[in-house]
Amino acid sequence: MKMYKCPHCNKATISILKKAFMGVNYNHRCKVCGQKYGPHHLYYVLSGIPFIVIAVFFVARLPYVFLIKAVIIAILVIIHSIINLIFIPVVKK
């Protein structure tokens, strides 16, 4: 399984799932050096804006049942997690 490097010690200690679902409010700690790291705040917020707009303006106004809306929201969350993996860097905190 691919691991991402800690920005402090450059050891591969960040798992794919941890990086995909990493949020700006929670401080993660490296297993090796114990230092805090997290996603870049600006990139993380900017990457989420299109998904919030889609959820509020399009999904909320769809005339479908709740289950279909929930599936669409889940797909948006998965896409945002993939964007976190690919584009948002892990930085020191």
Side-chain angles (χ1 to χ4, degrees):
M1 179 181 273
K2 181 173 171 62
M3 301 287 278
Y4 293 91
K5 291 182 179 182
C6 168
H8 295 280
C9 65
N10 289 323
K11 304 266 177 153
T13 60
I14 305 169
S15 70
I16 290 175
L17 286 176
K18 188 177 267 191
K19 187 170 187 304
F21 294 104
M22 191 179 295
V24 293
N25 294 330
Y26 180 72
N27 290 324
H28 301 276
R29 289 193 178 269
C30 176
K31 295 176 187 175
V32 175
C33 67
Q35 297 293 321
K36 293 179 182 179
Y37 62 85
H40 191 280
H41 286 81
L42 181 63
Y43 294 151
Y44 188 81
V45 171
L46 290 178
S47 71
I49 290 174
F51 296 103
I52 293 170
V53 170
I54 290 169
V56 170
F57 291 106
F58 297 110
V59 176
R61 295 180 183 184
L62 289 175
Y64 300 121
V65 294
F66 175 76
L67 182 61
I68 295 173
K69 290 181 181 182
V71 168
I72 293 171
I73 295 293
I75 291 170
L76 290 175
V77 168
I78 291 169
I79 292 170
H80 188 257
S81 298
I82 292 169
I83 288 173
N84 284 349
L85 275 175
I86 297 170
F87 297 111
I88 299 179
V90 177
V91 296
K92 299 176 182 179
K93 291 241 177 166

